[in-house]
Amino acid sequence: MITLKLQLLLIAFSAAVFIVFINRTRRYKLELKYALVWIFLSTAGVIASVFPQIFFFIARVMGIEVPVNAVFLLAVSSIFLILYSMTVSLSNHSRKIRTLTQELALMSRRIEDLESRTRKAEGGNGHASES
Amino acid sequence: MTANLNPKVLLIIPAFNERENIGPLLLSLREHGYEALVVNDGSTDDTASICSAIGASVVSLPCNLGIGGAVQTGYKYAYAHGYDIAIQFDGDGQHRAEFIPALIAPLLAGEADLAIGSRYIEKEGFQSTFLRRAGIRYFSRLIRLITGQTVTDPTSGFRAVNRSIMAMFTAHYPTDYPEPESIVHVLRLGGRVAEVPVLMSERAGGRSSIRSLRSVYYMIKVSLAILIDSLRGSGVHRT
């Protein structure tokens, strides 16, 4: 059984998560791309806690005796899903940062080379500008 | 590839806080007549200013990327500037310039794409500690098991590559502890690997980046990297 108290708590919690993530995205604090998985999962949380029959069904299908354990199982799975998406984007970002750092270093080297070559060319012309 | 009589050779020297060793090393390389590029991996000491004071060629990474990211920067530079051969050369005084002609010989003869300087063919010079040797033998066996090729010194950072491997390393190079993994990577993509006997010295100063507790992490991480690499196809994965 899922008590009314727990049900209300779940609704309130899921709704709060949903509102926080929508609001943060609205204020450009979060990228929709990364907020999306939270928004989907909290929507699913609201729906499931409004219709707890979903938990009963999942518990029966998966052979879980106490429906409230299905709630925990789903919560843990959601967190896994979110962490997975974080690991993916973390890996992408570290790769991008590595490439950017290398390109930046190579680029500043090219600028330095160009500057020294320009200075030499100006000196050779006898029009050395004092800078 | 046919024999190239006048190859453009670049020494890539990754350096992270190597102020004690880098100056004398660069001067001795200059005496030997080699062109060197120091990749300053976000050093917090005056490595960069020492290099520019003696007029050495430097690329400075704005933040520390680790050995793999630093060396890859050097390969990118060498490839973009049309070098025929790029040699990885440690900034800590372990590697010796007098072995460079022997190291690049198999590349010039067109017999190999990647040449590795090995301490364990002639078993002379500095041989490293017992535990480290055991680790190196383990990687050697693992690589033979997976690729069928014997590499006696898979962790050696003294290595030379031709342009085809430069292009390969520009597209992908392992991030940390890259040496053993990059050998498997090269062999998987059809590159030819040869080993050349060399002598190495003990580090002149500073500390090795691989220490006791980290070595457990190192063994596990590199083993996994090698095993996962063997699961990849022979297509090029861009990273």
Side-chain angles (χ1 to χ4, degrees):
Chain A
M1 265 315 287
I2 288 173
T3 60
L4 182 66
K5 221 178 189 175
L6 177 63
Q7 194 183 351
L8 291 176
L9 214 68
L10 284 173
I11 293 173
F13 183 72
S14 309
V17 170
F18 180 81
I19 290 164
V20 165
F21 276 84
I22 292 284
N23 200 31
R24 296 263 93 185
T25 310
R26 188 177 63 86
R27 290 166 182 236
Y28 298 110
K29 298 283 182 202
L30 295 176
E31 289 281 320
L32 180 60
K33 193 180 163 191
Y34 302 112
L36 215 54
V37 63
W38 288 97
I39 291 170
F40 280 146
L41 288 172
S42 57
T43 310
V46 172
I47 294 170
S49 41
V50 170
F51 305 102
Q53 296 90 325
I54 294 171
F55 290 124
F56 298 137
F57 174 74
I58 291 168
R60 205 172 52 240
V61 168
M62 299 193 68
I64 300 168
E65 284 184 26
V66 193
V68 75
N69 284 343
V71 177
F72 295 132
L73 181 73
L74 287 182
V76 171
S77 323
S78 310
I79 289 167
F80 253 92
L81 212 67
I82 290 167
L83 282 178
Y84 170 73
S85 74
M86 302 270 268
T87 310
V88 168
S89 53
L90 181 66
S91 305
N92 283 332
H93 288 145
S94 69
R95 199 189 62 228
K96 284 175 186 167
I97 289 170
R98 186 172 66 234
T99 309
L100 284 173
T101 307
Q102 292 175 336
E103 286 304 316
L104 177 61
L106 292 170
M107 206 67 88
S108 30
R109 170 62 199 268
R110 275 182 71 184
I111 291 173
E112 277 165 30
D113 287 351
L114 274 173
E115 279 174 348
S116 69
R117 214 173 303 158
T118 315
R119 255 197 306 277
K120 250 177 240 159
E122 282 171 352
N125 280 339
H127 298 297
S129 54
E130 307 297 318
S131 57
Chain B
M1 233 169 82
T2 50
N4 191 337
L5 289 177
N6 198 10
K8 267 180 85 183
V9 177
L10 180 71
L11 266 62
I12 299 167
I13 305 173
F16 173 66
N17 293 349
E18 292 284 4
R19 62 179 310 243
E20 291 153 61
N21 307 314
I22 199 79
L25 172 71
L26 288 171
L27 292 175
S28 93
L29 289 177
R30 191 177 292 169
E31 266 170 40
H32 280 89
Y34 290 114
E35 223 182 313
L37 174 78
V38 176
V39 183
N40 171 32
D41 191 12
S43 293
T44 48
D45 65 3
D46 47 359
T47 299
S49 49
I50 291 172
C51 295
S52 29
I54 56 178
S57 177
V58 186
V59 166
S60 271
L61 296 169
C63 51
N64 181 267
L65 288 185
I67 180 76
V71 166
Q72 190 182 32
T73 310
Y75 285 126
K76 285 182 176 176
Y77 180 93
Y79 190 68
H81 288 77
Y83 286 92
D84 300 304
I85 288 174
I87 300 171
Q88 203 182 313
F89 199 89
D90 278 3
D92 59 11
Q94 272 194 85
H95 300 157
R96 301 198 198 163
E98 65 258 37
F99 291 102
I100 291 174
L103 185 70
I104 62 177
L107 304 187
L108 295 178
E111 289 161 1
D113 304 304
L114 164 66
I116 301 167
S118 170
R119 287 161 279 186
Y120 303 118
I121 294 177
E122 312 255 293
K123 297 197 167 67
E124 284 175 28
F126 178 62
Q127 296 281 300
S128 196
T129 60
F130 173 76
L131 272 178
R132 208 164 286 185
R133 276 207 310 280
I136 290 167
R137 257 202 307 277
Y138 159 75
F139 282 126
S140 180
R141 293 223 178 93
L142 184 64
I143 290 174
R144 191 171 55 214
L145 191 71
I146 284 174
T147 66
Q149 179 154 353
T150 305
V151 178
T152 59
D153 199 352
T155 62
S156 166
F158 187 32
R159 36 177 62 194
V161 305
N162 63 15
R163 279 190 72 77
S164 68
I165 305 291
M166 263 183 249
M168 204 184 277
F169 284 171
T170 297
H172 173 85
Y173 198 70
T175 314
D176 38 15
Y177 317 128
E179 284 83 12
E181 186 184 346
S182 62
I183 296 171
V184 179
H185 175 74
V186 164
L187 287 170
R188 174 168 59 80
L189 297 182
R192 294 161 303 161
V193 177
E195 276 194 305
V196 174
V198 298
L199 302 183
M200 287 192 195
S201 312
E202 215 164 335
R203 291 173 56 86
R207 300 184 67 183
S208 166
S209 53
I210 298 166
R211 271 152 293 173
S212 56
L213 232 173
R214 280 217 188 141
S215 56
V216 175
Y217 170 76
Y218 169 79
M219 299 290 287
I220 294 170
K221 205 225 144 203
V222 174
S223 302
L224 257 179
I226 289 173
L227 289 171
I228 290 175
D229 191 84
S230 72
L231 297 176
R232 295 178 178 131
S234 51
V236 181
H237 296 258
R238 273 200 74 89
T239 53

